[in-house]
Amino acid sequence: MNVQEVIARVEKIEALPTLPSILKKILSIIEDPKVSLQKITEFVTSDPTLTARILKMVNSPVYGFPGRISSVSHAMVILGLNAVKGLLLGVSVFELMQKSMIGLWEHSLSTAIFARIIATRKDMESPEEISIGGLLHDIGKVILTIAFKENYPKLIDSVQIKEGFLYEIEKEYFGITHSEIGGIVAKKWNFPLKLIEPIKYHHKPQLAEKFQKEAAIVHLSNILTLARGVGYSGEIFVPFVHPFAWELLNLNEKELLDIFREAEEPITTSGEIFLSDE
Ligand SMILES: [Fe+2]
Ligand SMILES: [Fe+2]
């Protein structure tokens, strides 16, 4: 299969019969460039599970907002349209993440936590939005699992044998990586560049064109998650932090330790966030 065929299949993901109908609906809402906060609020509040999940997430230690956010419309106002679209997607792919790779959800949540903490320390404008980038950074793996459910799991298993990084093995096999796939679908869903670039370049932040710092934060957060050993994302090694990202973020060893310390509580308390869905 050549790379064009891979991309074509990924781009028609919502036509696949295996995609749950609720997710199809969510994707069509996200994809609409003119969708309003009000329409998203109406959609979310019409679904009790989605409502519960959004409220659980915004009130969880992943986000650490002071005070309780008790309504979906309040959450929307605090987070803004793009973060809400991303969050909506994040909470609705929960089952698929669980199914495609046990531990990917925990890996994603932890990356979101680290990203929020680093972004806040670096005085970034919207730490929540960058954190959503962390939550969705490996979305390409979910897409590949849906689109290639016969081959992709085998590819993941081969990481153990080949002793390489998953994205290198993907490049060899598909001609494209999960991060590039994530970038393609994020663009298709009309996410802003600020969200597309950290997803697309989380393994190569030096290639980001406009949002290098955002990409560097998600890059580092993914590595810190692997170093801390939270969840599972198909990797057996902890990759190096790219010097470009390290320099751009300008962190020292003490700050890094502080970041680990600050992330510890949210990481240990948020893993089971949706297990008691009602
Ligand atoms: Fe990745
Ligand atoms: Fe990852």
Side-chain angles (χ1 to χ4, degrees):
M1 188 176 297
N2 68 38
V3 69
Q4 256 65 43
E5 287 168 321
V6 175
I7 294 173
R9 184 159 344 169
V10 162
E11 286 196 317
K12 277 198 232 94
I13 195 87
E14 66 268 19
L16 292 175
T18 43
L19 199 70
S21 60
I22 174 84
L23 200 58
K24 279 185 195 167
K25 220 170 181 177
I26 289 167
L27 291 183
S28 75
I29 287 177
I30 290 175
E31 204 169 324
D32 176 4
K34 288 190 287 262
V35 71
S36 64
L37 262 183
Q38 195 194 340
K39 188 162 177 224
I40 295 186
T41 310
E42 274 166 23
F43 175 76
V44 171
T45 47
S46 72
D47 184 322
T49 307
L50 273 185
T51 303
R53 285 186 181 181
I54 296 264
L55 290 177
K56 268 187 192 168
M57 271 296 259
V58 293
N59 285 302
S60 77
V62 179
Y63 290 101
F65 287 115
R68 224 187 123 66
I69 298 168
S70 55
S71 72
V72 172
S73 55
H74 188 194
M76 302 280 162
V77 172
I78 287 187
L79 288 168
L81 183 65
N82 290 321
V84 163
K85 278 167 74 175
L87 187 59
L88 181 57
L89 180 67
V91 303
S92 49
V93 292
F94 166 66
E95 278 92 1
L96 277 177
M97 272 201 189
Q98 295 269 50
K99 255 191 243 163
S100 48
M101 219 186 255
I102 293 166
L104 186 58
W105 172 249
E106 288 81 1
H107 170 82
S108 305
L109 267 186
S110 166
T111 307
I113 291 166
F114 275 118
R116 195 251 305 155
I117 292 171
I118 300 168
T120 307
R121 281 175 176 264
K122 290 284 129 190
D123 286 323
M124 300 296 283
E125 214 179 275
S126 43
E128 287 77 30
E129 228 176 286
I130 299 171
S131 164
I132 299 288
L135 186 68
L136 297 177
H137 78 283
D138 276 338
I139 191 84
K141 291 180 185 170
V142 181
I143 304 292
L144 283 171
T145 308
I146 301 170
F148 299 94
K149 66 172 190 310
E150 344 58 70
N151 334 13
Y152 194 57
K154 284 187 211 142
L155 206 79
I156 294 167
D157 290 341
S158 73
V159 172
Q160 313 277 346
I161 303 154
K162 293 196 169 178
E163 300 196 334
F165 290 112
L166 181 55
Y167 71 88
E168 292 168 345
I169 296 168
E170 289 165 347
K171 190 91 186 174
E172 237 172 74
Y173 186 83
F174 290 119
I176 191 163
T177 66
H178 68 272
S179 33
E180 292 165 315
I181 296 283
I184 290 171
V185 289
K187 191 167 174 217
K188 173 175 143 69
W189 295 330
N190 282 305
F191 281 132
L193 207 56
K194 206 174 174 178
L195 201 50
I196 298 174
E197 287 206 332
I199 295 173
K200 184 172 173 186
Y201 298 115
H202 71 268
H203 290 293
K204 294 187 170 170
Q206 72 280 15
L207 298 183
E209 285 139 52
K210 250 189 116 182
F211 295 98
Q212 300 174 325
K213 219 168 183 177
E214 285 80 355
I217 290 174
V218 173
H219 168 75
L220 178 61
S221 302
N222 176 51
I223 293 172
L224 295 182
T225 294
L226 290 167
R228 164 67 177 70
V230 195
Y232 176 68
S233 69
E235 302 292 6
I236 50 170
F237 299 120
V238 179
F240 286 108
V241 178
H242 194 280
F244 169 85
W246 187 246
E247 260 162 52
L248 191 65
L249 295 176
N250 187 28
L251 291 161
N252 58 40
E253 223 166 284
K254 183 190 171 290
E255 280 174 291
L256 214 50
L257 277 176
D258 287 344
I259 290 166
F260 265 114
R261 228 169 270 141
E262 198 181 329
E264 199 49 35
E265 214 227 296
I267 286 174
T268 46
T269 53
S270 61
E272 296 179 359
I273 198 163
F274 293 149
L275 286 187
S276 58
D277 253 358
E278 73 270 10

